[in-house]
Amino acid sequence: MAGWDTSNPRDRRTPGDPAEEAAAFRNLCRSSPWRWQSLRFEYLDRPLAVDPDAPAPAPAPDRVRAWLRRPGALRLETADGLVLHSTTGINDSRDVFYLGSTRKTWLLPPQLVTPVYDDQGLVRRRPEAAYGEPGFGNGRFAAALDPVELAGNAPVPLEFPNSNAVELGPVIEVLHEGRPALEAVVVPNPGYRPLDPGAPLCRPGRNLVRIDAGTGVCVASRWLENGQEGYGPEEYGHWLRILAVDEYMLDDLFLAESMNLTDVRRHISWELPAG
C-alpha cells in the first residue's frame, strides 16, 4: 500500500472554471450510493505519509481487509486472515421492525430512488432515502464510504456560499493506488455536520482529502494542522485502497454459519462414469 506520494503527477482535471471544478468535486462526494453495490478494499484508520523516493512500505499490521455488499453486509479481517467482524442476520425478517414503524422506517434504499444528476452523471441533489453504510470502530469508516458530509445533500444557494459544508482549495487529479481520484485541501465551515462528531473526516483547519473518481468513496484524509489538540498530520486521518468494485459476493461471506451455497464463478467439474 503506497503512501502520500508528492511525485504523483497532479494536473488540473479540466481547464474550466474553478467554480465548476468545485461543483464537480461536491457532486462526486454525493454520488457514492449510486456508483457501486459491492466493494472489496483495505483500510487503515490513520493516514499514510512516506518519502516518495523510499521503497513501498510493508503492509501495516493494523491494516484490515474488508468486503462490503450493500445495503448492510460487511466482513472484516486482519492482514493475517483473522475475522474481526462479520454481519449476521442479513436475511432476517423485518416484520417486528415495521410493526412499530415511523415515517423514516419506510424510506427506500437510495439505489431504488433517483437523484438529480449533473451533465457528468454525478449527483447534484440527493433525494430522501434510507442512507447509511455499515461501520466498524468509529464513524469515519462509514463516512469514508459515503462522504456526503463534505458536500451536503444539495448545492447551497448562491447568495450564501459560506454555508457549504467545507471550503475547497484547488481541485486536482491524482492517482491513488492506481485509480484516478480528485484531491483538494478543504476547511470545514460552521455548517459542517459530520456523520460521527467524534471521528469526522475533517478536523478544524486544513485537511487533505481524496475522492475516488469511479466510486465516490473518500479514499484518504489527512489533517494538516500540526501540533493542535494532540494530533499531528501523521496521526489523524485514514487510508483506503480499493481492490475490486461490484464483485459477486455470496451470503456465505457474511453469515456466521455457511449455507453451503455453490460459488457459480468457479468451474464445476462433472465426473462421467466410464463406459
Side-chain angles (χ1 to χ4, degrees):
M1 187 180 293
W4 293 93
D5 187 352
T6 56
S7 66
N8 208 333
R10 298 177 179 180
D11 300 319
R12 285 286 184 181
R13 182 170 179 265
T14 65
D17 184 358
E20 295 179 358
E21 295 178 351
F25 183 91
R26 291 189 170 101
N27 290 349
L28 181 60
C29 290
R30 300 183 183 108
S31 298
S32 173
W34 293 273
R35 297 187 75 84
W36 55 275
Q37 286 297 312
S38 68
L39 201 66
R40 179 163 57 90
F41 58 96
E42 295 176 344
Y43 180 83
L44 274 174
D45 198 37
R46 58 179 174 82
L48 281 183
V50 298
D51 183 349
D53 297 324
D62 53 345
R63 178 194 63 182
V64 296
R65 297 184 296 178
W67 293 258
L68 189 150
R69 189 186 70 190
R70 283 169 166 162
L74 174 67
R75 178 186 180 91
L76 289 175
E77 294 182 356
T78 66
D80 297 328
L82 176 66
V83 177
L84 297 174
H85 172 82
S86 184
T87 306
T88 58
I90 58 177
N91 295 319
D92 289 352
S93 171
R94 299 170 66 88
D95 54 352
V96 176
F97 178 70
Y98 286 113
L99 189 61
S101 65
T102 63
R103 178 178 176 276
K104 190 174 182 180
T105 305
W106 292 94
L107 291 176
L108 294 172
Q111 296 81 11
L112 298 182
V113 294
T114 303
V116 177
Y117 292 102
D118 65 9
D119 293 339
Q120 306 300 319
L122 302 176
V123 174
R124 177 174 172 81
R125 185 179 299 272
R126 287 166 61 130
E128 191 175 14
Y131 298 105
E133 305 293 345
F136 181 80
N138 57 47
R140 185 164 57 245
F141 183 94
L145 296 170
D146 182 13
V148 67
E149 67 182 57
L150 300 177
N153 289 324
V156 301
L158 295 177
E159 297 83 358
F160 304 103
N162 290 333
S163 58
N164 278 306
V166 298
E167 291 299 317
L168 296 178
V171 178
I172 52 181
E173 189 176 76
V174 299
L175 285 178
H176 180 90
E177 299 289 355
R179 294 177 57 90
L182 298 185
E183 178 181 281
V185 174
V186 305
V187 178
N189 279 327
Y192 176 57
R193 297 291 183 267
L195 175 69
D196 180 0
L201 289 176
C202 295
R203 294 184 66 84
R206 297 175 303 120
N207 301 263
L208 188 63
V209 296
R210 286 180 184 171
I211 309 297
D212 182 74
T215 62
V217 170
C218 182
V219 290
S221 66
R222 181 156 59 106
W223 192 43
L224 301 178
E225 301 294 339
N226 190 14
Q228 295 188 21
E229 302 182 36
Y231 289 97
E234 310 301 325
E235 298 174 356
Y236 191 86
H238 79 282
W239 188 270
L240 189 151
R241 178 188 181 192
I242 295 176
L243 301 176
V245 180
D246 286 339
E247 278 188 330
Y248 181 71
M249 295 183 181
L250 288 170
D251 284 354
D252 281 29
L253 190 61
F254 307 103
L255 298 178
E257 296 182 5
S258 172
M259 298 175 64
N260 295 319
L261 298 178
T262 300
D263 188 345
V264 296
R265 297 172 300 175
R266 299 179 180 177
H267 173 69
I268 302 175
S269 60
W270 296 88
E271 296 184 3
L272 300 177

